[in-house]
Coordinates of all heavy atoms in Angstrom, one line a residue:
G393 N 6.7 -15.1 6.8 CA 7.5 -14.2 7.7 C 9.0 -14.3 7.4 O 9.7 -13.3 7.3
A394 N 9.5 -15.5 7.3 CA 11.0 -15.7 7.2 C 11.5 -15.2 5.8 O 12.5 -14.5 5.8 CB 11.4 -17.2 7.4
V395 N 10.8 -15.5 4.8 CA 11.2 -15.1 3.5 C 11.0 -13.6 3.3 O 11.8 -12.9 2.6 CB 10.5 -15.9 2.4 CG1 9.0 -15.6 2.2 CG2 11.2 -15.6 1.0
A396 N 9.9 -13.0 3.9 CA 9.7 -11.6 3.9 C 10.9 -10.8 4.6 O 11.3 -9.8 4.1 CB 8.4 -11.2 4.5
D397 N 11.4 -11.4 5.7 CA 12.5 -10.8 6.3 C 13.8 -10.8 5.5 O 14.5 -9.9 5.4 CB 12.8 -11.5 7.7 CG 12.3 -10.7 8.8 OD1 11.8 -9.5 8.6 OD2 12.4 -11.1 10.0
R398 N 14.0 -11.9 4.8 CA 15.1 -12.0 3.9 C 15.0 -11.0 2.7 O 16.0 -10.3 2.3 CB 15.2 -13.4 3.3 CG 16.4 -13.7 2.4 CD 16.5 -15.1 2.0 NE 17.7 -15.4 1.2 CZ 18.9 -15.7 1.7 NH1 19.1 -15.8 3.0 NH2 19.9 -15.9 0.9
R399 N 13.8 -10.8 2.3 CA 13.5 -9.8 1.2 C 13.8 -8.4 1.8 O 14.4 -7.5 1.1 CB 12.1 -9.9 0.8 CG 11.6 -8.8 -0.2 CD 10.2 -9.0 -0.6 NE 9.7 -8.1 -1.6 CZ 9.0 -7.0 -1.3 NH1 8.7 -6.7 -0.1 NH2 8.6 -6.2 -2.3
R400 N 13.4 -8.1 3.0 CA 13.6 -6.8 3.6 C 15.1 -6.5 3.7 O 15.5 -5.4 3.4 CB 12.9 -6.7 5.0 CG 11.4 -6.8 5.0 CD 10.8 -6.8 6.4 NE 11.2 -5.6 7.1 CZ 10.4 -4.5 7.1 NH1 9.3 -4.5 6.4 NH2 10.8 -3.4 7.8
R401 N 15.9 -7.5 4.1 CA 17.3 -7.3 4.2 C 17.9 -7.0 2.9 O 18.8 -6.2 2.7 CB 18.0 -8.5 4.9 CG 17.7 -8.6 6.4 CD 18.6 -9.6 7.1 NE 18.3 -11.0 6.6 CZ 17.4 -11.8 7.2 NH1 16.7 -11.4 8.2 NH2 17.2 -13.0 6.7
A402 N 17.5 -7.8 1.9 CA 18.0 -7.6 0.5 C 17.7 -6.2 0.0 O 18.5 -5.6 -0.8 CB 17.5 -8.6 -0.4
R403 N 16.6 -5.6 0.4 CA 16.2 -4.3 0.0 C 16.7 -3.2 0.8 O 16.3 -2.0 0.7 CB 14.7 -4.2 -0.1 CG 14.1 -5.1 -1.2 CD 12.6 -5.4 -0.9 NE 11.8 -4.2 -0.9 CZ 11.2 -3.6 -1.9 NH1 11.3 -4.2 -3.1 NH2 10.4 -2.5 -1.8
G404 N 17.6 -3.5 1.8 CA 18.2 -2.5 2.7 C 17.2 -2.1 3.8 O 17.4 -1.0 4.4
E405 N 16.2 -2.9 4.1 CA 15.3 -2.5 5.1 C 15.5 -3.4 6.4 O 16.2 -4.4 6.3 CB 13.8 -2.8 4.7 CG 13.5 -2.0 3.4 CD 12.2 -2.5 2.8 OE1 11.5 -3.3 3.4 OE2 11.8 -2.0 1.7
L406 N 15.0 -2.9 7.5 CA 15.2 -3.7 8.8 C 14.3 -4.9 8.8 O 13.2 -4.8 8.4 CB 14.9 -2.8 10.0 CG 15.8 -1.7 10.3 CD1 15.3 -1.0 11.6 CD2 17.2 -2.2 10.6
P407 N 14.9 -6.1 9.2 CA 14.0 -7.2 9.5 C 13.0 -6.9 10.6 O 13.2 -6.0 11.4 CB 15.0 -8.3 9.9 CG 16.2 -7.6 10.3 CD 16.3 -6.4 9.5
L408 N 11.9 -7.6 10.6 CA 10.8 -7.3 11.5 C 11.2 -7.3 13.0 O 10.8 -6.4 13.8 CB 9.6 -8.2 11.3 CG 8.9 -8.0 10.0 CD1 7.9 -9.1 9.8 CD2 8.3 -6.7 9.9
G409 N 12.1 -8.2 13.4 CA 12.5 -8.3 14.8 C 13.3 -7.0 15.1 O 13.1 -6.4 16.2
R410 N 14.2 -6.6 14.3 CA 15.0 -5.4 14.5 C 14.1 -4.2 14.5 O 14.4 -3.2 15.3 CB 16.1 -5.3 13.5 CG 17.0 -4.1 13.7 CD 17.8 -4.1 15.0 NE 18.4 -2.8 15.3 CZ 17.9 -1.9 16.0 NH1 16.7 -2.0 16.6 NH2 18.6 -0.8 16.2
L411 N 13.2 -4.1 13.6 CA 12.3 -3.0 13.5 C 11.5 -2.9 14.8 O 11.2 -1.8 15.3 CB 11.3 -3.2 12.3 CG 10.3 -2.0 12.1 CD1 11.1 -0.7 11.9 CD2 9.4 -2.3 10.9
A412 N 11.0 -4.0 15.4 CA 10.3 -4.0 16.6 C 11.2 -3.4 17.7 O 10.7 -2.7 18.6 CB 9.9 -5.4 17.0
E413 N 12.5 -3.8 17.7 CA 13.4 -3.2 18.7 C 13.5 -1.7 18.5 O 13.6 -0.9 19.5 CB 14.8 -3.9 18.6 CG 14.8 -5.3 19.0 CD 16.2 -6.0 18.7 OE1 17.1 -5.3 18.3 OE2 16.3 -7.2 18.9
A414 N 13.6 -1.3 17.3 CA 13.7 0.2 17.0 C 12.5 0.9 17.5 O 12.6 2.1 17.9 CB 13.9 0.4 15.5
V415 N 11.3 0.3 17.3 CA 10.1 1.0 17.8 C 10.2 1.2 19.3 O 9.9 2.3 19.8 CB 8.9 0.1 17.5 CG1 7.7 0.5 18.3 CG2 8.6 0.1 16.0
A416 N 10.7 0.2 20.1 CA 10.9 0.3 21.5 C 11.9 1.4 21.8 O 11.7 2.2 22.8 CB 11.3 -1.0 22.1
E417 N 12.9 1.5 21.1 CA 13.9 2.6 21.3 C 13.4 4.0 21.1 O 13.6 4.9 21.8 CB 15.1 2.3 20.4 CG 15.9 1.1 20.7 CD 16.9 0.7 19.6 OE1 17.0 1.4 18.6 OE2 17.5 -0.4 19.7
R418 N 12.5 4.1 20.0 CA 11.9 5.4 19.7 C 11.0 5.8 20.9 O 10.9 7.0 21.2 CB 11.1 5.4 18.4 CG 11.9 5.1 17.2 CD 12.8 6.2 16.8 NE 14.0 6.3 17.5 CZ 15.1 5.5 17.3 NH1 15.0 4.5 16.4 NH2 16.2 5.6 18.0
A419 N 10.3 4.8 21.4 CA 9.4 5.2 22.5 C 10.1 5.6 23.8 O 9.6 6.5 24.5 CB 8.5 3.9 22.9
E420 N 11.3 5.2 23.9 CA 12.2 5.6 25.1 C 12.8 6.9 24.9 O 13.2 7.6 25.8 CB 13.3 4.5 25.3 CG 12.8 3.2 25.8 CD 13.9 2.2 25.9 OE1 15.0 2.5 25.5 OE2 13.6 1.0 26.4
E421 N 12.8 7.4 23.6 CA 13.4 8.7 23.3 C 12.4 9.8 23.0 O 12.7 11.0 23.0 CB 14.4 8.6 22.1 CG 15.5 7.6 22.3 CD 16.3 7.4 21.1 OE1 16.0 8.0 20.0 OE2 17.3 6.6 21.1
G422 N 11.2 9.3 22.6 CA 10.1 10.3 22.2 C 10.2 10.5 20.7 O 11.2 10.1 20.0
L423 N 9.2 11.1 20.1 CA 9.2 11.4 18.7 C 9.4 12.9 18.4 O 8.8 13.8 19.1 CB 7.8 11.0 18.1 CG 7.5 9.5 18.1 CD1 6.1 9.3 17.5 CD2 8.5 8.8 17.2
D424 N 10.2 13.2 17.5 CA 10.4 14.6 17.1 C 10.6 14.6 15.5 O 11.7 14.7 15.0 CB 11.7 15.1 17.7 CG 11.9 16.6 17.4 OD1 11.0 17.2 17.0 OD2 13.0 17.1 17.7
L425 N 9.4 14.6 14.9 CA 9.4 14.5 13.4 C 9.0 15.8 12.8 O 8.5 16.7 13.5 CB 8.4 13.4 13.0 CG 8.5 12.0 13.7 CD1 7.5 11.0 13.2 CD2 9.9 11.5 13.5
G426 N 9.2 16.0 11.5 CA 8.9 17.3 11.0 C 8.2 17.2 9.6 O 8.3 16.2 8.9
V427 N 7.4 18.2 9.3 CA 6.8 18.4 8.0 C 7.5 19.5 7.3 O 7.8 20.5 7.8 CB 5.3 18.7 8.2 CG1 4.6 19.0 6.9 CG2 4.5 17.6 8.9
P428 N 7.8 19.3 6.0 CA 8.4 20.4 5.2 C 7.6 21.7 5.3 O 6.4 21.6 5.2 CB 8.4 19.8 3.8 CG 8.4 18.3 3.9 CD 7.6 18.1 5.1
D429 N 8.3 22.8 5.6 CA 7.6 24.0 5.8 C 6.7 24.5 4.6 O 5.7 25.1 4.8 CB 8.6 25.1 6.1 CG 9.4 24.9 7.4 OD1 8.8 24.2 8.2 OD2 10.5 25.4 7.5
S430 N 7.1 24.1 3.4 CA 6.4 24.6 2.2 C 5.3 23.6 1.8 O 4.7 23.9 0.8 CB 7.4 24.9 1.1 OG 8.0 23.7 0.7

Side-chain angles (χ1 to χ4, degrees):
V395 70
D397 257 356
R398 187 174 179 87
R399 175 181 183 260
R400 291 174 66 87
R401 288 193 294 268
R403 291 161 60 92
E405 302 169 5
L406 289 182
L408 290 173
R410 179 66 191 93
L411 183 58
E413 293 174 4
V415 165
E417 292 167 3
R418 297 289 80 75
E420 293 174 356
E421 298 174 2
L423 292 177
D424 186 13
L425 311 180
V427 173
D429 294 335
S430 60

